[in-house]
Amino acid sequence: EDDEMFKAITEAFELLSNPKKRREFDSLDDFDDSIPSNFDSASQDFFETFAPVFERNSRWSEVKPTPLLGSATSPSDEVATF
């Protein structure tokens, strides 16, 4: 029984410490594809409305740390990193 537990822990460590395998493992989690459906560009700020959507799903990004969405006044070099 101890050998089985050690084997399971070793396999888990190998899976979770390998970025590619970890991403495959994490991809089994649900993707939150909910987005605000009643966006009105005349009265709402795009960045304030949609930034939380990007932040929620940033764990799926291959770029770490995941850049934030920014704002309408973000410098172009910052936007290019996104």
Side-chain angles (χ1 to χ4, degrees):
E1 188 173 300
D2 287 343
D3 286 342
E4 290 177 26
M5 179 64 76
F6 180 76
K7 183 179 176 184
I9 292 170
T10 301
E11 288 175 3
F13 176 78
E14 288 174 1
L15 181 132
L16 298 175
S17 63
N18 179 310
K20 185 173 189 249
K21 290 180 180 180
R22 173 66 187 256
R23 185 168 171 82
E24 291 172 3
F25 177 80
D26 287 343
S27 72
L28 300 173
D29 292 341
D30 291 334
F31 182 82
D32 183 357
D33 61 355
S34 61
I35 57 171
S37 58
N38 298 336
F39 176 70
D40 177 14
S41 62
S43 64
Q44 294 176 289
D45 180 84
F46 173 87
F47 298 97
E48 286 182 20
T49 303
F50 291 98
V53 176
F54 284 85
E55 289 176 34
R56 254 193 329 269
N57 291 303
S58 66
R59 66 184 175 139
W60 303 108
S61 176
E62 291 183 6
V63 176
K64 300 293 182 190
T66 306
L68 299 177
L69 184 57
S71 69
T73 59
S74 294
S76 59
D77 59 331
E78 190 177 299
V79 173
T81 63
F82 183 78

